[in-house]
Amino acid sequence: MNSFQQLGIADDLLQGIVALGFETPTPIQEAVIPAALEGDIDLIALAQTGTGKTAAFGLPLLQRINPSARTVQALIMCPTRELCVQVANDLENYSKFAHQYKVVAVYGGAGIEGQIRQLKAGAQIVVATPGRLMDLMTRKAIRLDSVERIVLDEADEMLNMGFKEAIDYILAAAENRESIWLFSATMPEEVRRIAATYMDNVREITVGGRNQTNENIEHRYYVCRADDRYAALKRVVDANPGIYGLIFCRTKIEAKETAEQMIRDGYNSDALHGDLAQGDRDRVMQRFREKNLQLLIATDVAARGLDVNDITHVINYGLPDEIEVYTHRAGRTGRAGKTGVSITIVTPKFEERISQIERKNKAKFTKHPLPTGMEVCEQQLYNIIRGIHEQEVHYQEIEPFMPWIMEELKDLDKDELIRRFASVEFNRFLAYYRNAPDINIRPKGDRGGRDGAQRGAGSGQMHRLFLNVGEIDGINKKEFIKFLSRNFGVPGGSIGQIDLNKAYMHFDIDSAYVNVVRQGLLDFTINNRRLRVDDAAPQKEKKSGRKDDAFYEKWEKKGKKSGKKW
Ligand code: AMP
């Protein structure tokens, strides 16, 4: 007997979930399903997304619908449009081989008239965002007096999103309800208040401990200087070549800028934030879901509707203000029985907050040193080699070329061949990371070393570079030298003459540091402006820079945005 059957799930629904590949109930399903089928009791279930909570409430809910009554019998409230659509789809999938219940999803951000028509055509289960439902109620497009069961899905998120008033309005109006099943990842005061006001004889179901983050999730953190945050992000991503990750930013601007920087740096990534039109948001989420995007850089609000199972890493590009938000973020990985890693990049100022989260979530964090450039290269190399084993070969198509290939490569022995094939990809990372500085914060007095090259081991040969920032950007020579030293480990003695102009500059730098500085500078912006580095003639520039000055003067007049100071 299938264990869902043992929980009391009827045969016709069973067929649906078997078709979806559900074999064993998840812990939350095991606990909720029998209780929900038992009678008209109120339930509070502490469950994160990814634990199987939709089926935990969806299956008993479907089973208790009277197929012959045409009235709205069940109401599911969700925080976002995406979740509404997802839940409605899930219900339809579970009941694929059962009675075709009428499920209608109503949510904001879509035309209300079509939703009114669907409701008029008859709905037995309504899945709604609270705001839109309240709107429909005030327009008298829906009545809740026949509703028997109400599910509050992600109750804490709905309250976070400001739906408190709408939830109160709806719960007060559904006066004939027999039970409320409340699902929440965390139990803040507001959720408690809802329970105390509207629920009786509550049965609380906690799987795996209250406020505890999923045990399948490993929590790691890295500490770096504020200036090195982006470089640290890159290292973490590069040191995990198979990453399928969600990167959380605190603000829309940060998500947008970080995504722009990552795209420029060649990462298969995009941004998801509230300034995007709904259609664009849907498209980005779809690309990520289909794994056509490897990294999604999102704000907490915009990522709410995203439901993806096999995210390998969540990266907190800075900690959120609220501990609950961390729980939600981390809960995006380690879902459906898989393991995942939640990574946090913090500056020393915020390190203390890690212990606060640990205490509150009873989750153990481990501090890791940021990978050195060589460690990144090593991981990439392992990945390349593993990839060779998995590489699909089109024998038929490549066969005609084999004699020629063999002839071309016949002077190389096996070792040399392997070395060269591996180098095709490896060199790209090596070029970037060969002279990359150690960006871990070192104890005072320890000046650290460089990866691959010794600090101060200059070639003695100077090289002149152009940089498209100057006095108008607040640059001064002393600060610039400090900046190069702090970020790229360039000793003061390896920096030669600096010629600072209004909108651009030239500087001499020891050739040993040219690559790392050229690449590394691209990770920074000044006043939202992308840095451009170029080779310059070794002599002092003539007045040809005037054109540039004029350009920037014009640009400056248009209004200079205040951006991240480097
Ligand atoms: P949820 O927490 O409802 O968003 O579910 C997370 C994911 O787990 C969804 O993709 C479900 O399809 C899947 N899932 C839920 N229950 C089971 C189960 N018993 N066995 C396998 N997968 C499941």
Side-chain angles (χ1 to χ4, degrees):
M1 185 152 88
N2 178 301
S3 33
F4 276 102
Q5 220 166 0
Q6 284 165 343
L7 298 180
I9 295 299
D11 284 349
D12 52 359
L13 289 175
L14 214 53
Q15 280 187 53
I17 54 176
V18 167
L20 289 174
F22 296 10
E23 285 168 9
T24 341
T26 65
I28 194 80
Q29 290 162 358
E30 235 166 38
V32 167
I33 293 173
L37 286 175
E38 191 180 297
D40 298 326
I41 50 170
D42 287 342
L43 294 175
I44 291 185
L46 267 170
Q48 326 247 339
T49 52
T51 52
K53 66 182 169 56
T54 317
F57 65 73
L59 293 170
L61 188 102
L62 287 165
Q63 197 155 316
R64 300 191 63 180
I65 298 287
N66 173 3
S68 47
R70 313 290 302 159
T71 49
V72 182
Q73 298 168 56
L75 168 65
I76 302 169
M77 278 189 267
C78 304
T80 62
R81 153 199 163 124
E82 288 80 11
L83 201 57
C84 283
V85 173
Q86 170 92 29
V87 168
N89 279 339
D90 286 354
L91 295 182
E92 275 163 22
N93 286 331
Y94 306 152
S95 54
K96 200 165 173 187
F97 302 99
H99 181 83
Q100 297 302 290
Y101 302 102
K102 293 218 167 282
V103 182
V104 173
V106 295
Y107 39 78
I112 200 164
E113 296 301 331
Q115 294 176 355
I116 292 174
R117 272 196 300 279
Q118 280 183 286
L119 289 171
K120 282 218 173 99
Q124 291 167 306
I125 303 172
V126 171
V127 190
T129 51
R132 176 51 60 98
L133 182 61
M134 189 164 91
D135 200 355
L136 288 162
M137 287 166 72
T138 52
R139 290 172 186 233
K140 305 221 179 312
I142 185 171
R143 293 171 61 100
L144 301 186
D145 41 14
S146 54
V147 169
E148 292 168 1
R149 253 159 292 288
I150 298 180
V151 177
L152 297 171
D153 189 12
E154 303 199 359
D156 49 353
E157 279 291 83
M158 289 197 281
L159 291 161
N160 274 344
M161 290 173 73
F163 285 135
K164 174 175 173 290
E165 200 188 39
I167 292 173
D168 276 321
Y169 180 85
I170 294 161
L171 291 181
E175 51 192 5
N176 296 323
R177 65 178 185 271
E178 285 159 7
S179 47
I180 297 179
W181 302 339
L182 183 153
F183 286 75
S184 195
T186 56
M187 247 329 122
E189 219 16 71
E190 254 313 294
V191 178
R192 288 258 158 243
R193 184 195 62 83
I194 296 273
T197 316
Y198 300 102
M199 296 164 76
D200 296 315
N201 289 326
V202 177
R203 188 174 305 175
E204 278 201 36
I205 293 171
T206 310
V207 176
R210 172 157 311 169
N211 278 354
Q212 195 171 37
T213 43
N214 183 334
E215 291 196 345
N216 290 338
I217 304 171
E218 182 195 334
H219 302 267
R220 283 187 206 163
Y221 74 101
Y222 298 89
V223 185
C224 68
R225 281 192 215 89
D227 283 346
D228 288 332
R229 272 183 352 117
Y230 181 69
L233 176 66
K234 282 180 62 136
R235 291 236 179 147
V236 168
V237 168
D238 289 344
N240 290 285
I243 189 170
Y244 174 46
L246 187 53
I247 300 171
F248 281 102
C249 292
R250 286 161 44 100
T251 61
K252 290 183 224 175
I253 298 268
E254 189 177 59
K256 200 165 155 244
E257 286 183 358
T258 309
E260 279 168 7
Q261 243 174 332
M262 295 208 80
I263 293 167
R264 247 187 349 247
D265 287 347
Y267 294 92
N268 179 13
S269 54
D270 212 338
L272 179 69
H273 54 74
D275 279 354
L276 296 177
Q278 182 69 48
D280 291 333
R281 255 186 290 170
D282 289 346
R283 270 189 290 280
V284 173
M285 284 199 256
Q286 188 62 16
R287 281 169 57 216
F288 186 59
R289 241 179 246 125
E290 289 169 355
K291 302 211 169 139
N292 290 328
L293 271 184
Q294 191 179 8
L295 299 166
L296 185 62
I297 300 134
T299 56
D300 292 293
V301 177
R304 271 176 181 143
L306 189 71
D307 186 69
V308 178
N309 272 342
D310 29 15
I311 290 175
T312 59
H313 294 73
V314 162
I315 301 181
N316 298 277
Y317 193 40
L319 278 172
D321 292 332
E322 317 245 324
I323 291 177
E324 276 86 12
V325 175
Y326 178 84
T327 312
H328 279 287
R329 288 181 175 184
R332 298 316 190 101
T333 183
R335 298 177 50 149
K338 300 194 177 88
T339 54
V341 186
S342 172
I343 288 174
T344 303
I345 297 170
V346 276
T347 54
K349 205 169 121 195
F350 292 98
E351 205 174 339
E352 172 51 28
R353 303 209 45 215
I354 296 278
S355 348
Q356 288 170 11
I357 298 176
E358 275 190 324
R359 280 196 295 276
K360 188 116 193 245
N361 281 355
K362 300 193 178 67
K364 183 86 196 93
F365 278 70
T366 45
K367 182 173 177 176
H368 288 248
L370 279 156
T372 61
M374 273 303 138
E375 280 162 351
V376 170
C377 291
E378 195 180 316
Q379 288 305 321
Q380 290 291 343
L381 191 57
Y382 287 152
N383 190 49
I384 294 163
I385 301 307
R386 274 195 301 267
I388 288 180
H389 270 292
E390 286 152 24
Q391 180 60 51
E392 190 186 350
V393 177
H394 297 285
Y395 286 94
Q396 238 185 342
E397 288 84 345
I398 203 163
E399 215 42 56
F401 302 102
M402 284 308 288
W404 171 79
I405 295 173
M406 297 306 278
E407 178 60 27
E408 280 291 310
L409 300 176
K410 71 170 191 270
D411 56 324
L412 302 172
D413 64 18
K414 184 180 167 195
D415 282 7
E416 189 57 18
L417 261 179
I418 293 176
R419 224 168 266 129
R420 290 188 187 209
F421 273 102
S423 295
V424 173
E425 267 290 297
F426 182 59
N427 283 0
R428 205 160 54 84
F429 284 91
L430 199 60
Y432 184 79
Y433 281 114
R434 174 182 273 134
N435 290 319
D438 183 349
I439 53 175
N440 286 293
I441 299 174
R442 308 208 155 256
K444 280 208 168 72
D446 176 358
R447 302 208 53 197
R450 297 166 55 78
D451 311 333
Q454 278 307 304
R455 192 179 281 270
S459 68
Q461 266 229 297
M462 286 296 190
H463 188 98
R464 196 164 177 78
L465 289 176
F466 160 90
L467 186 60
N468 64 332
V469 291
E471 285 162 355
I472 58 164
D473 302 287
I475 309 283
N476 73 52
K477 291 184 189 178
K478 227 166 98 194
E479 285 299 317
F480 184 66
I481 293 169
K482 267 208 260 171
F483 170 83
L484 292 182
S485 149
R486 214 170 48 206
N487 291 287
F488 313 117
V490 185
S494 294
I495 303 165
Q497 186 167 333
I498 300 176
D499 293 315
L500 197 54
N501 292 282
K502 199 166 180 190
Y504 66 97
M505 63 193 290
H506 291 98
F507 60 99
D508 291 327
I509 183 159
D510 191 297
S511 303
Y513 295 95
V514 168
N515 282 349
V516 69
V517 168
R518 281 185 78 126
Q519 283 285 341
L521 280 171
L522 301 180
D523 292 345
F524 290 84
T525 56
I526 275 199
N527 301 329
N528 289 330
R529 196 142 54 82
R530 184 183 167 185
L531 293 191
R532 187 159 63 80
V533 194
D534 257 328
D535 292 323
Q539 78 280 7
K540 238 182 146 192
E541 278 291 290
K542 288 177 235 118
K543 283 290 171 192
S544 60
R546 273 206 184 129
K547 227 163 113 193
D548 266 347
D549 272 356
F551 168 76
Y552 284 119
E553 271 160 21
K554 201 163 99 206
W555 172 81
E556 195 180 17
K557 271 186 219 131
K558 273 186 169 172
K560 195 166 46 159
K561 280 188 247 154
S562 68
K564 168 186 160 193
K565 197 158 167 34
W566 67 347

